[in-house]
Amino acid sequence: MSIVKLSPAFKDYLWGGENLKAKYHKDTDMTPLAESWELSTHKDGQSSVVTGEYAGLKFADYLSRIGKQALGKHAQAFDEFPVLIKFIDAKQSLSIQVHPSDEYALRVEHEYGKTEMWYILDCQEGAYLYYGVARETTKEELKNAIETDTLCDLLKRVPVKKGDVFFIPAGTLHAIGAGIVICEIQQNSNSTYRVYDFGRRDAQGKLRELHIDKALAVSNMQPAEKQEREEEWTDENGAVHRPLASCPYFTTELITSMGRAAVQAGEESFVSLVILEGQGSVENGEERLSFMAGDSLFAPAKSGDIIIEGACMLIKTTV
């Protein structure tokens, strides 16, 4: 088994823009284009294999064909494929929302919870996001703030710049602000509880559904803790490796290659490579694939050495 290229599923949520088409070569007639689900087995939007002998298969069908051992030892601990990776273009602010934990989501939604990580790909000057409560808060305060349209006053508003990283455990109230493009690595879940939507209406003129009771049940009333960052390092090829986030569901690393880099898909985990900038090619066994910004590559566990040629920036994800 060797590395394959994937094609995403697309989402046209009302807050999206056109950046994913312009900057990341997403080929779709959807307008606006809010999200592309680059690595996904989720029923709400699966990616597909576009190279190799399994070209044309949905990603879940491809994984079924190559066998669970191809996920690696760590991922085999999960009943479902554990990761979902997206590009997100927020032309407008997203709703303020929160995701449940595994315990709550498995009991209520019959799927995993949603812990996630954001890497800021680009943003407009002055862009910001909401990241947890600004101070220790009670459920009663939160409920009152929702009812009186003062929720934003309770939340921590954080200015952002390109290259910023946010780790968002389940239970963290959050919202991506207007003018931000991100790469999101998350648990394989689509359980989202919308808390506040700025009074927006959908294409039919209706207010979008809120999920207040569920949100109150799962929200963390303590400010979000900043995750300690590991030091970046340079490999023998001169490529810079910057650890981004690590949790039981995924481990992510930013790799910046000046011309050559190498990673390995061992027996512990598959390897996902999502290209953020640049172009080039990867070589894995007898397979050689070209890539450009926006491409998503997947290497099964035990695929061995993956040689990356070209000046580029990418996110490597394993479990």
Side-chain angles (χ1 to χ4, degrees):
M1 292 180 289
S2 55
I3 197 165
V4 295
K5 187 180 293 187
L6 303 177
S7 176
F10 297 116
K11 301 294 179 180
D12 60 352
Y13 305 136
L14 56 82
W15 42 261
E18 297 297 319
N19 283 310
L20 301 188
K21 298 177 188 177
K23 296 183 179 181
Y24 301 101
H25 310 101
K26 301 307 170 187
D27 185 14
T28 175
D29 293 330
M30 281 190 183
T31 300
L33 178 57
E35 298 183 354
S36 62
W37 292 19
E38 300 294 330
L39 180 79
S40 172
T41 63
H42 200 280
K43 60 181 176 59
D44 293 341
Q46 282 202 54
S47 50
S48 303
V49 178
V50 293
T51 62
E53 64 177 304
Y54 298 107
L57 288 183
K58 293 293 186 183
F59 188 50
D61 294 334
Y62 159 76
L63 293 180
S64 179
R65 291 278 190 94
I66 65 176
K68 195 165 185 178
Q69 73 279 358
L71 303 184
K73 290 180 178 179
H74 296 166
Q76 289 182 51
F78 298 93
D79 292 334
E80 306 287 343
F81 187 74
V83 179
L84 199 163
I85 299 178
K86 305 173 178 176
F87 287 119
I88 301 177
D89 176 19
K91 184 177 181 180
Q92 303 175 35
S93 298
L94 275 68
S95 61
I96 295 171
Q97 56 193 243
V98 66
H99 306 302
S101 66
D102 284 350
E103 184 278 325
Y104 188 94
L106 288 168
R107 175 166 50 86
V108 176
E109 308 295 347
H110 309 296
E111 70 170 0
Y112 284 109
K114 188 176 173 186
T115 286
E116 60 192 18
M117 185 215 86
W118 295 340
Y119 179 85
I120 307 297
L121 294 169
D122 202 1
C123 60
Q124 295 176 358
E125 186 174 351
Y128 63 90
L129 51 79
Y130 290 109
Y131 180 54
V133 293
R135 57 174 175 80
E136 186 175 346
T137 308
T138 66
K139 300 280 187 178
E140 291 73 21
E141 281 184 286
L142 178 59
K143 186 173 186 293
N144 181 67
I146 295 169
E147 292 172 347
T148 58
D149 284 350
T150 59
L151 177 60
C152 294
D153 297 338
L154 281 184
L155 303 180
K156 185 177 181 181
R157 176 170 156 163
V158 184
V160 298
K161 64 183 184 302
K162 182 177 179 178
D164 282 348
V165 179
F166 295 87
F167 180 69
I168 305 167
T172 306
L173 288 156
H174 63 275
I176 304 170
I180 300 176
V181 183
I182 74 171
C183 182
E184 176 177 287
I185 291 87
Q186 59 161 90
Q187 282 183 266
N188 184 9
S189 171
N190 202 28
S191 290
T192 297
Y193 301 148
R194 193 179 297 125
V195 184
Y196 183 68
D197 199 33
F198 307 96
R200 286 185 295 200
R201 297 179 183 271
D202 63 19
Q204 288 71 45
K206 298 179 180 178
L207 293 170
R208 296 201 295 172
E209 181 183 5
L210 301 179
H211 314 94
I212 306 302
D213 290 341
K214 289 180 176 180
L216 288 170
V218 305
S219 292
N220 183 3
M221 297 294 93
Q222 301 289 332
E225 295 183 8
K226 191 171 184 180
Q227 191 180 49
E228 293 298 321
R229 304 287 180 217
E230 297 180 41
E231 293 295 321
E232 64 181 34
W233 55 280
T234 303
D235 68 20
E236 60 186 9
N237 296 297
V240 178
H241 298 249
R242 175 190 169 195
L244 299 178
S246 185
C247 66
Y249 313 106
F250 53 78
T251 295
T252 54
E253 179 182 74
L254 183 74
I255 300 175
T256 303
S257 170
M258 298 298 104
R260 183 180 174 88
V263 299
Q264 186 176 63
E267 64 180 14
E268 294 82 9
S269 176
F270 64 86
V271 173
S272 162
L273 303 176
V274 176
I275 314 301
L276 308 184
E277 296 180 8
Q279 59 185 7
S281 64
V282 294
E283 185 174 326
N284 176 227
E286 297 182 356
E287 191 70 42
R288 187 176 184 88
L289 301 173
S290 61
F291 63 75
M292 59 183 175
D295 280 347
S296 173
L297 307 170
F298 177 85
K302 300 183 182 180
S303 294
D305 292 331
I306 302 167
I307 307 301
I308 302 162
E309 300 280 359
C312 61
M313 182 182 293
L314 57 92
I315 290 180
K316 170 193 171 187
T317 301
T318 57
V319 172

